[in-house]
Amino acid sequence: GPITQEVLPPEVFLADVAPLESGLFEQRVLLTLRVTNPNGFDLDARGLSFALSMNGQPLARGASNASLSVPALGEELVQVEASTTTMGLIQQLRQLAARRELSYELTGRLHLDDRMGVPFVRFERAASLAPASSSEQAPPSLPEADPPRSRAARAGSARCAR
């Protein structure tokens, strides 16, 4: 029978974006989404639909009718194709170069299996990434060797670390 408990919305994170085929007017991308289930029961879905905005501007939309089961209090990676316009992608790349910051908002619906008792749950995720500036990216260096210390000094520093 259908689940009688309230279905909490999943947390959906953008894990990766990979380019697919492209044309003059449209770009196809493969998004990898990490779907986390906060419920104490499996979330069984018959698909999902979503919209992705970058830096406040709509970028891509997509849907998948692939079945998905996210374990109770667990997570699942889902790959979905999305489309964007070539012009929209170019504008996003220009903004990224100018702002050196990337923010995104992912909204959508997880379309649930009939036995879940509700037709869908909505999800929404906003995040921001700011790349480190080139001045902050120092080359890796080897740690300097500690000068030899007496056994008492080493014991004292161990006591201070507690």
Side-chain angles (χ1 to χ4, degrees), residues 74-148:
E75 61 184 31
E76 194 70 34
L77 287 175
V78 181
Q79 291 190 321
V80 291
E81 290 188 18
S83 339
T84 184
T85 64
T86 301
M87 189 54 75
L89 188 59
I90 290 170
Q91 289 173 343
Q92 290 297 330
L93 292 173
R94 282 186 184 157
Q95 276 193 358
L96 180 60
R99 296 175 64 189
R100 300 210 24 90
E101 176 181 56
L102 174 69
S103 63
Y104 77 86
E105 183 177 16
L106 182 65
T107 58
R109 292 178 174 184
L110 189 63
H111 300 274
L112 299 176
D113 188 77
D114 292 336
R115 73 171 193 83
M116 299 301 297
V118 293
F120 62 85
V121 286
R122 296 180 193 274
F123 59 84
E124 184 173 325
R125 181 74 181 171
S128 185
L129 305 168
S133 70
S134 57
S135 63
E136 294 174 6
Q137 294 176 344
S141 60
L142 296 174
E144 294 182 24
D146 287 336

